[in-house]
Amino acid sequence: MLIAIEGIDGSGKTTLAKDLVKWLEEEKKKKTLLTAEPFTEEITKLIQQEGWKDPVTLALLFSADRGVHINWITKQDYDIIITDRYYYSTIAYQSAMGIDKNWIIEVNKYFPKPELTILLDLPAEIALTRIKKDDKFNFKEKLSLLQKVRENYLNIAKLDKTIRIIDSTKSFKEVLKEAKNYVEELVS
Ligand code: TYD
């Protein structure tokens, strides 16, 4: 079973993913793998070299990275796989950079659809205050881009019942509780 965690930078995905895995392992006794995109060191390096200038190349690199990621995931033996970012990231981010959303969907159409996607939603202004300064990707400071990315995520979620939105301005305890409820619906 594949579960994706999505949201703009600073939405709390990574912390949530870690805590969900801990809960699934310890309380639900599910063998759970925590993974993330971008996945490969080599492609991540190329993406950094590109410097966020060319969204077509970025969309293709992120999607190629996903292909390698999925091939690796397929070889792992786990009950549940939680990925911190998946193809919704490419749709939301690279379409915010001007790329046709349908083309990105087309490029990603052979990748498995997650049974559940948790979208951590919050205003970009709040998210920016939470972003670590030492982050390896440097385009994040751009408020207007993250606002567009957020809007894209919410639009995608309107059309897809497998995406569950959680208000990430709430306390982390509350966010985790809601996320556990959504996962519970699937695993029990
Ligand atoms: P990520 O490693 O999740 O960021 P963080 O360092 O905060 O954990 O993702 C790196 C950046 O890449 C993030 O700003 C989102 C962006 N991104 C895309 O633009 N498209 C994509 O397809 C993916 C997977 C990430």
Side-chain angles (χ1 to χ4, degrees):
M1 178 185 298
L2 180 63
I3 299 174
I5 315 284
E6 291 279 3
I8 59 174
D9 301 276
S11 59
K13 293 177 290 88
T14 308
T15 314
L16 176 68
K18 273 190 204 145
D19 281 33
L20 276 179
V21 170
K22 196 164 172 264
W23 168 71
L24 282 164
E25 286 272 342
E26 289 174 7
E27 285 181 41
K28 298 283 147 188
K29 307 294 175 209
K30 299 281 183 196
K31 203 177 166 210
T32 308
L33 173 69
L34 175 59
T35 183
E37 293 187 2
F39 174 71
T40 67
E41 247 177 62
E42 293 85 349
I43 301 179
T44 301
K45 231 180 185 171
L46 283 173
I47 291 167
Q48 284 168 313
Q49 280 171 18
E50 276 305 298
W52 301 94
K53 285 188 291 284
D54 169 8
V56 177
T57 305
L58 285 173
L60 291 170
L61 286 174
F62 277 118
S63 302
D65 177 68
R66 186 159 304 120
V68 178
H69 190 205
I70 285 299
N71 290 342
W72 176 78
I73 285 176
T74 311
K75 289 186 213 132
Q76 311 304 309
D77 180 26
Y78 284 88
D79 303 319
I80 300 173
I81 288 134
I82 296 193
T83 179
D84 178 349
R85 296 199 181 281
Y86 196 50
Y87 54 50
Y88 298 104
S89 284
T90 316
I91 301 169
Y93 278 81
Q94 274 63 60
S95 79
M97 299 170 84
I99 299 300
D100 174 21
K101 192 176 128 216
N102 291 323
W103 177 74
I104 302 171
I105 293 171
E106 192 67 18
V107 169
N108 282 271
K109 79 172 172 191
Y110 294 111
F111 300 135
K113 186 175 167 66
E115 275 82 357
L116 168 70
T117 297
I118 292 172
L119 172 58
L120 295 182
D121 178 60
L122 82 174
E125 292 85 346
I126 300 176
L128 278 178
T129 66
R130 298 183 181 176
I131 294 175
K132 287 185 235 96
K133 291 271 182 296
D134 61 348
D135 240 308
K136 55 188 181 295
F137 292 93
N138 58 11
F139 81 119
K140 297 171 182 172
E141 289 80 26
K142 293 183 182 150
L143 178 65
S144 62
L145 179 76
L146 286 186
Q147 281 170 333
K148 266 192 231 160
V149 175
R150 181 195 186 198
E151 231 173 84
N152 289 341
Y153 269 131
L154 291 173
N155 285 332
I156 301 163
K158 272 187 211 153
L159 305 169
D160 189 334
K161 294 266 176 293
T162 67
I163 303 177
R164 305 299 196 119
I165 304 169
I166 298 178
D167 175 359
S168 196
T169 61
K170 288 184 185 168
S171 72
F172 184 69
K173 208 175 141 203
E174 185 58 37
V175 170
L176 180 61
K177 196 177 128 204
E178 279 186 43
K180 282 180 184 173
N181 286 341
Y182 289 136
V183 174
E184 187 110 54
E185 281 174 19
L186 266 189
V187 298
S188 57

